[in-house]
Amino acid sequence: MSKKGIPHTATVSFVFVFMMFLFSFQSNLSLLSRSNVTSSITKSKPVIVSEEREEQVARSSIQSGIVRGKREEKPELSPSHHSGAVTKAREDMRAPSPSRAEVRNVITCDCSHDYYDMWSINGPTLLDPITSTFFAIGATDSTPPDFTVKFHPYPRKTDENAKSKVNELTLTSAPPKSSCGVTHSSPAIVFSTGGYTGNFYHQFNDVLLALYITVNSLSLNQDVILVVTNWSEWWHETLLDFHALLENTYGPRGGYAPASDRPQIVLVNRRNGVGREILNLKEVLEEIEEVGFKAIVFEPKRDAPVRETYTLLHGCHAMVGVHGAALTHLLFLRAGTVLGEIVPIGADWLAKTYFERPAGVLGLEYMKYKIEINESSLAERYGADDLVLKNPSGFVNGNYSKAKVYMKTQNVKLDIVRFRVYIKEVFVKAQRFMDNEG
Ligand SMILES: *[C@@H]1O[C@H](CO)[C@@H](O)[C@H](O)[C@H]1NC(C)=O
Ligand SMILES: *[C@@H]1O[C@H](CO)[C@@H](O)[C@H](O)[C@H]1NC(C)=O
Ligand SMILES: *[C@@H]1O[C@H](CO)[C@@H](O)[C@H](O)[C@H]1NC(C)=O
Ligand SMILES: *[C@@H]1O[C@H](CO)[C@@H](O)[C@H](O)[C@H]1NC(C)=O
């Protein structure tokens, strides 16, 4: 598949299953119970049908006009309507999946459930996000020409009100009009965060639980790509909700008695050869104290009580560290706290995506310290003019195992003159925060 292509067009090549889920529990709202959840696990197992049955599904779909999106009015696809068809339902996807030759019709549906339909494209698929269309590019001769189905990926297939709040998708065996920009080699699951989400119950019942059970029932033994339609900013707010939940659980009652008259900074430290260590830590700490901070070095431990860590971080006025998983402790900080991220070479995208953006959502004062080439240990190893340092994305060039160079083998030695300018700014903000919030 061509890499250049129409912008915004993504190709998703799926190894063996491409799932479109219209998924629900078979009980209705008030009847959902533990035992019903369990039985829905059984019900949600994908059904692989024989060739003969697959052809029947496709043909009858066309004949019945269900492809025009009226499927819920005409439940012809339930197995009982195909009494003559040979149906080999496999209950376990761990059984070998059928070879390409066996899967003649790549677009199939398990439409036998009352509340959801499960559409699959069994093969490489191209997604055009502009038109919300999935092209089955592995379609074979025996697929009826231009087989097309439209539906709403939400587990309430007869609920018109819910469906009006869900983007309509198209699956087709027609040839795509565009080429791809991005490729993946994993199966994907497509679902919508529209519908009744926003309501706590529906969020769990219609989306999170349904997704959890579905992914597990497929026994794919590999990661899946989640393709979300109707994605909304609203889901972002769950991060804020989670932040609030932590504060309710671990937060102090009745505010803070400042532990010191100086703002406190927590330096999150990486060590023991994990990569991205601060090589001149001692010097850096002296500098931090010099500008007026009370510095605490924090090295996360697996068995540390969460409450203890929470108390330390929730009371501080700044947290600083080199880009790494431990910065996730930003969830423990109060809104307004300074989060200082030291960004090594090759980590810009990660830093922005994993910490800078969430920090914005949580109302933290995010302050980046992007290192210069001469502050990276890679400069000594490769030479400052090497592609590794000059152009990390060119060096990685889509092969992410090469990113290990940056993540595992790079350490930083901060330029103290430069760091001093930075930490002074951090101090000014932290001091202001302490004056206002304690
Ligand atoms: C499960 O759902 C069915 C309806 O589908 C209902 O008749 C039954 O009472 C439910 N079971 C429990 C334990 O609530
Ligand atoms: C989802 O998509 C539908 C149809 O495009 C739209 O009417 C609805 O407002 C969307 N809902 C959300 C939550 O984005
Ligand atoms: C590192 O490089 C920057 C500019 O790229 C320069 O300003 C700084 O003086 C250098 N530091 C050292 C220690 O060589
Ligand atoms: C990706 O990079 C790794 C490590 O440099 C290398 O072993 C592997 O062959 C590369 N893969 C491809 C597809 O180029």
Side-chain angles (χ1 to χ4, degrees), residues 190-229:
V190 184
F191 64 101
S192 170
T193 50
Y196 296 142
T197 65
N199 170 295
F200 193 69
Y201 171 85
H202 287 286
Q203 218 148 288
F204 276 85
N205 185 63
D206 299 359
V207 181
L208 294 174
L209 268 173
L211 204 52
Y212 175 80
I213 292 170
T214 304
V215 170
N216 282 295
S217 73
L218 293 176
S219 306
L220 295 171
N221 290 326
Q222 71 179 110
D223 286 347
V224 295
I225 292 171
L226 299 180
V227 179
V228 189
T229 184

Side-chain angles (χ1 to χ4, degrees), residues 10-15 182-186 225:
T11 293
V12 194
S13 345
F14 302 97
V15 176
V182 184
T183 57
H184 302 274
S185 58
S186 310
I225 292 171

Side-chain angles (χ1 to χ4, degrees), residues 152 163-168 192-195 197 229-232:
H152 301 88
K163 288 199 310 185
S164 71
K165 296 171 183 159
V166 174
N167 202 7
E168 187 180 62
S192 170
T193 50
T197 65
T229 184
N230 274 129
W231 188 86
S232 56

Side-chain angles (χ1 to χ4, degrees), residues 23 26 35-47 90-91 110 113 116 213 217:
F23 185 92
Q26 69 275 32
S35 63
N36 277 331
V37 172
T38 312
S39 59
S40 77
I41 292 175
T42 319
K43 274 214 158 188
S44 71
K45 296 257 180 188
V47 176
R90 281 205 208 135
E91 285 300 313
D110 173 4
H113 305 275
Y116 67 95
I213 292 170
S217 73

Side-chain angles (χ1 to χ4, degrees), residues 26-28 31-33 35-36:
Q26 69 275 32
S27 55
N28 67 25
L31 290 175
L32 182 67
S33 70
S35 63
N36 277 331

Side-chain angles (χ1 to χ4, degrees), residues 388-427:
V388 169
L389 289 137
K390 287 285 183 198
N391 185 0
S393 50
F395 172 76
V396 172
N397 195 22
N399 179 349
Y400 291 100
S401 63
K402 286 183 161 177
K404 276 189 193 140
V405 170
Y406 304 105
M407 306 315 280
K408 304 275 185 218
T409 71
Q410 177 175 214
N411 292 313
V412 302
K413 185 173 176 202
L414 302 182
D415 177 331
I416 288 301
V417 177
R418 209 175 152 236
F419 182 73
R420 184 177 302 144
V421 176
Y422 168 80
I423 203 68
K424 272 185 182 158
E425 288 173 29
V426 172
F427 180 80

